[in-house]
Amino acid sequence: MGRCRPADRVMFLRAWLSNPLPVGVVAPSGKSLARLMTSELNPLSGPVLELGPGTGTFTDALIRKGVPEREIALVDLGVEFVQLLAARYPQATVLAKDATCSYRPSCANKYAIVISGLPLLSLPASAVMRILVRAFALSNHNAIFYQFTYGWRCPVPKAIFERLNLEATRIGTAISNIPPASVYKIVHDVPGEVSA
């Protein structure tokens, strides 16, 4: 777990070549980005919803941080990714769903953490809005949404932050990731439900 898997790189490249927009990248995220994305988590962080896990780089980091596999729900649109994730993480909930649509992982509790590997910069603002609304609807009132980006600023448009009453803080940049990537923590500006 956590090692570099050459087959994962091939799978990512194939998925990107067949449908570049939803995949967003040609290779899995690196270990330094995975460490940064999960740096604030611990075994008691609570149930985790991971959007766009791909081959499981962030999932591996979650498990290394002590998050029980059974408390992780993985939502990915790619059938190849879903099959791989189901085999690799048999105790996790794995769903073949579009994160912009309605989905409901089977979890008795609401999620405390959302980890997003989705390429928000390549998505229209309406899709970004649906992703955030759905993720926060499945989460408790003080949930934290972690998002990384290769861009210079948070990939969520300012208008969406204002409309959904959210705020973002950059928690760091993984310089050694190729390309370098920054991680943002997105939370409710005022605790309560997020709705469009």
Side-chain angles (χ1 to χ4, degrees), residues 56-192:
T57 302
F58 297 157
T59 316
D60 282 349
L62 287 168
I63 293 168
R64 280 195 308 275
K65 292 292 284 192
V67 176
E69 189 177 311
R70 69 185 176 280
E71 289 193 10
I72 301 172
L74 306 168
V75 176
D76 205 295
L77 185 58
V79 175
E80 269 190 340
F81 291 142
V82 168
Q83 291 170 347
L84 176 79
L85 294 164
R88 199 170 272 176
Y89 310 105
Q91 293 178 41
T93 299
V94 182
L95 294 177
K97 295 287 184 181
D98 183 337
T100 65
C101 300
S102 183
Y103 58 91
R104 177 73 181 145
S106 57
C107 179
N109 301 314
K110 289 201 161 197
Y111 295 97
I113 303 292
V114 180
I115 299 285
S116 172
L118 299 172
L120 297 191
L121 281 178
S122 65
L123 299 177
S126 59
V128 174
M129 170 86 82
R130 289 194 305 273
I131 288 165
L132 287 166
V133 167
R134 187 67 189 151
F136 277 109
L138 294 170
S139 303
N140 61 39
H141 72 280
N142 59 351
I144 301 171
F145 187 108
Y146 292 95
Q147 176 69 51
F148 81 91
T149 182
Y150 300 121
W152 296 105
R153 60 176 185 252
C154 185
V156 178
K158 184 179 178 184
I160 292 178
F161 278 115
E162 292 172 354
R163 184 161 177 193
L164 300 182
N165 204 22
L166 301 172
E167 62 180 26
T169 305
R170 187 174 67 82
I171 64 169
T173 301
I175 299 294
S176 62
N177 193 70
I178 300 175
S182 293
V183 174
Y184 287 85
K185 178 196 313 194
I186 300 170
V187 297
H188 297 99
D189 189 21
V190 176

Side-chain angles (χ1 to χ4, degrees), residues 1-75:
M1 214 176 279
R3 66 190 182 281
C4 179
R5 299 175 176 116
D8 290 359
R9 294 182 185 281
V10 172
M11 182 182 285
F12 250 94
L13 181 58
R14 257 198 331 255
W16 181 81
L17 288 171
S18 68
N19 201 357
L21 197 60
V23 177
V25 294
V26 298
S29 299
K31 290 180 187 177
S32 63
L33 178 55
R35 280 193 301 271
L36 183 58
M37 281 287 278
T38 59
S39 62
E40 298 184 343
L41 278 63
N42 63 60
L44 302 177
S45 291
V48 177
L49 173 63
E50 187 178 349
L51 305 176
T55 57
T57 302
F58 297 157
T59 316
D60 282 349
L62 287 168
I63 293 168
R64 280 195 308 275
K65 292 292 284 192
V67 176
E69 189 177 311
R70 69 185 176 280
E71 289 193 10
I72 301 172
L74 306 168
V75 176

